[in-house]
Amino acid sequence: MSGDLARQAMTVLHPGYEGASTPDWMRRALGEGLGGVVLFARNVIDAQLVRNLRAENPDAVISIDEEGGTVTRLEVLAGSSSPGNRALGVVDDTSLTERVARQIGRMLGELDITLNYAPDADVNSNPANPVIGVRSFGPTADLVSRHTVAYVNGVQGAGVAACAKHFPGHGDTVTDSHLDLPTVHASREEFLARDLPPFRAAIGAGVRAVMSGHLLIPALDPSLPATLSRTVMTELLRDELGFDGMLVTDAIEMRAVAAMFSPGEIAVRALNAGVDAICVGICTEEIVYEVRDAIVAAVRAGDLPEERLAEAAGRVRALSEWYAGQAALRDKARGDVDRRVGLEAARAALTTSGTATLDRGPLIIEVNTRHNKAVDPSTPTGITAALTAELPNTARLQLEPAAELPDLRDDERPVVLVVHDAARHAWVRETVARAVAMRPDVIVVDTGIPAPPGEAVHVATHGISRVSAQAAAEWLTR
């Protein structure tokens, strides 16, 4: 095998790994030119870990999903110190969004992380969307575009590369691409007007990377998911929108594409479509070398032009070089600590209906604390913890999905119902209605996209985060 060709193939691979310690195969692959590593909460991330990775390959693109709110890798145990995109969109103060994003960039820069797989630039136009939801700034193109630009400016102003995702737009889906292939049923004109503006705005703001979405948009390409479609990745993103930065896939083990092709074939097809970096979130030694060998074999067979592979590897190196050139910005951001900005944003995002003040420990009933597949399942909503800190006699009851409420009529304690995305779940709305019928004084806290508040006291945080929970607890105990 040609050493140069094999190294080019390794450069475009950006895998993650299981466990808290870096496996030997990952260190060896970095020494062989592996172009990047994706870090997850399971890797127990700190500066020493990143130093160890860079000792094997100083130019590696170290990436992470640190959106804030419901998707955090660095603050997964305590909950994020920023409220997330939906909350920022509700406040609709772009200067505040930029400040929040700058602090996320500062946090990543201190760890020497190259690339943040954020912001989520999807327009959440479908309220039933099971995977985007509060990860989006909101339901309209103008709103999402404004805040996407602010977020990009904040992260990149702190010397860390940002990545707009999930191109060309994952907002109008009712399927989670971790589980199956979503289809967007919109005309080309509607899709381009509704979903593309935030990506166009991000490119205009100089975003260094874009992540593809695993979704089928028949109006753009009736046969292939966007990640594997040259029509979408090259003709639309490169030629029409003019993006020349690094284009990375969403994780290729997601069922939306993994059910169609082997990892090696996905990689070759994505590279042919115009992608530069192949993200494999859950990876092994066998998969890395299987994909590398598939890319090399495709070049030798004439199925993947060698100049296309060289171009892709060049864009990965260009991102690494850009990051190396931003050291002064990272140094400046390190001294620009604004630790309260996340709580400030969470307080501003809080929307309430009715009045209530808790002066003793309530019974908190957690109705559905489900998270999407991109979130570590141990991440707490935080409402219970935040109220317990204020009211030590707080009690907690976790309901199984669609389980019956206990009889609350003779319970003398205040009752707080914590729900998520009531707008999306009829059974959650029915549970709330039953609780209100039993206890008209019940307090409802929604951490997602809320349903209309109804007659009960209602608090909407518009996100799952430590600061969102703190803001809600402050309001309830003021």
Side-chain angles (χ1 to χ4, degrees):
M1 181 183 297
S2 163
D4 184 59
L5 187 55
R7 198 168 186 88
Q8 298 267 47
M10 288 295 272
T11 300
V12 303
L13 300 185
H14 295 211
Y17 61 90
E18 297 282 6
S21 59
T22 307
D24 290 342
W25 67 261
M26 176 65 80
R27 287 193 289 270
R28 185 171 64 255
L30 283 164
E32 295 170 357
L34 187 70
V37 180
V38 186
L39 297 178
F40 293 87
R42 61 182 184 250
N43 303 136
V44 191
I45 304 160
D46 59 18
Q48 185 59 53
L49 168 64
V50 179
R51 280 194 295 272
N52 291 343
L53 295 172
R54 292 203 181 281
E56 305 295 340
N57 181 359
D59 299 326
V61 173
I62 311 298
S63 305
I64 196 169
D65 287 275
E66 194 62 38
E67 298 176 15
T70 193
V71 177
T72 176
R73 305 297 186 232
L74 298 179
E75 300 180 301
V76 70
L77 295 179
S80 179
S81 57
S82 61
N85 285 5
R86 172 82 180 197
L88 294 170
V90 166
V91 179
D92 196 13
D93 178 345
T94 54
S95 64
L96 184 62
T97 295
E98 185 169 345
R99 285 172 58 203
V100 168
R102 180 173 175 80
Q103 291 305 300
I104 292 174
R106 178 187 61 78
M107 182 166 56
L108 300 184
E110 287 179 347
L111 294 174
D112 201 14
I113 291 173
T114 316
L115 172 64
N116 189 12
Y117 286 152
D120 189 311
D122 299 310
V123 178
N124 197 59
S125 55
N126 191 333
N129 194 316
V131 69
I132 303 302
V134 292
R135 297 170 65 193
S136 166
F137 290 111
T140 64
D142 286 348
L143 175 69
V144 175
S145 296
R146 288 197 302 275
H147 290 275
T148 293
V149 168
Y151 194 109
V152 168
N153 289 342
V155 170
Q156 294 191 170
V160 172
C163 178
K165 64 185 183 185
H166 307 83
F167 186 84
H170 210 313
D172 184 18
T173 60
V174 293
T175 302
D176 183 343
S177 51
H178 294 84
L179 307 177
D180 205 349
L181 178 63
T183 300
V184 178
H185 301 285
S187 69
R188 178 181 175 85
E189 292 72 20
E190 180 185 4
F191 189 87
L192 297 185
R194 180 191 63 196
D195 296 271
L196 278 201
F199 294 98
R200 192 186 297 274
I203 293 165
V207 72
R208 306 306 303 184
V210 168
M211 176 180 282
S212 69
H214 302 322
L215 50 146
L216 185 68
I217 307 156
L220 302 181
D221 186 327
S223 57
L224 288 171
T227 296
L228 309 181
S229 169
R230 184 170 178 81
T231 302
V232 178
M233 296 292 100
T234 294
E235 294 177 14
L236 180 57
L237 180 58
R238 300 289 192 199
D239 299 342
E240 187 171 333
L241 298 189
F243 179 64
D244 194 37
M246 191 186 83
L247 174 54
V248 59
T249 69
D250 207 343
I252 65 169
E253 75 273 14
M254 293 164 64
R255 294 297 297 167
V257 290
M260 303 173 70
F261 305 109
S262 68
E265 188 167 357
I266 293 169
V268 171
R269 285 174 173 266
L271 288 164
N272 266 319
V275 167
D276 305 308
I278 310 298
C279 171
V280 194
I282 301 174
C283 197
T284 63
E285 179 178 10
E286 291 74 21
I287 291 173
V288 162
Y289 289 98
E290 172 193 334
V291 176
R292 181 201 67 177
D293 293 349
I295 293 169
V296 171
V299 172
R300 288 181 170 166
D303 297 327
L304 173 64
E306 187 168 357
E307 56 270 23
R308 170 77 273 271
L309 176 60
E311 177 186 55
R315 288 203 181 105
V316 173
R317 288 191 292 269
L319 180 62
S320 177
E321 290 164 4
W322 176 89
Y323 175 80
Q326 308 307 307
L329 285 182
R330 291 192 293 279
D331 287 343
K332 185 175 186 300
R334 195 171 288 118
D336 184 17
V337 178
D338 191 3
R339 298 192 192 282
R340 301 285 290 177
V341 68
L343 181 58
E344 177 186 335
R347 287 169 174 158
L350 212 64
T351 56
T352 61
S353 174
T355 58
T357 301
L358 295 173
D359 57 4
R360 56 199 169 102
L363 169 63
I364 297 181
I365 303 177
E366 295 183 355
V367 175
N368 66 325
T369 52
R370 172 202 166 280
H371 296 207
N372 64 62
K373 293 282 285 186
V375 180
D376 187 304
S378 68
T379 307
T381 64
I383 299 294
T384 301
L387 277 174
T388 301
E390 299 288 336
L391 303 167
N393 293 326
T394 295
R396 178 193 195 192
L397 172 64
Q398 290 179 291
L399 286 189
E400 294 297 319
E404 285 294 319
L405 282 166
D407 191 333
L408 302 170
R409 287 170 292 188
D410 295 327
D411 197 317
E412 296 182 353
R413 295 171 293 184
V415 177
V416 177
L417 235 60
V418 179
V419 303
H420 184 69
D421 279 353
R424 197 164 63 81
H425 298 291
W427 72 268
V428 171
R429 297 193 295 274
E430 291 163 4
T431 300
V432 171
R434 287 195 297 272
V436 173
M438 280 190 280
R439 287 286 299 269
D441 63 338
V442 71
I443 298 167
V444 179
V445 179
D446 197 321
T447 62
I449 297 177
E455 297 179 4
V457 174
H458 192 276
V459 179
T461 65
H462 304 284
I464 298 175
S465 72
R466 173 171 53 82
V467 289
S468 298
Q470 183 178 340
E474 287 175 352
W475 189 87
L476 288 169
T477 58
R478 66 200 187 287

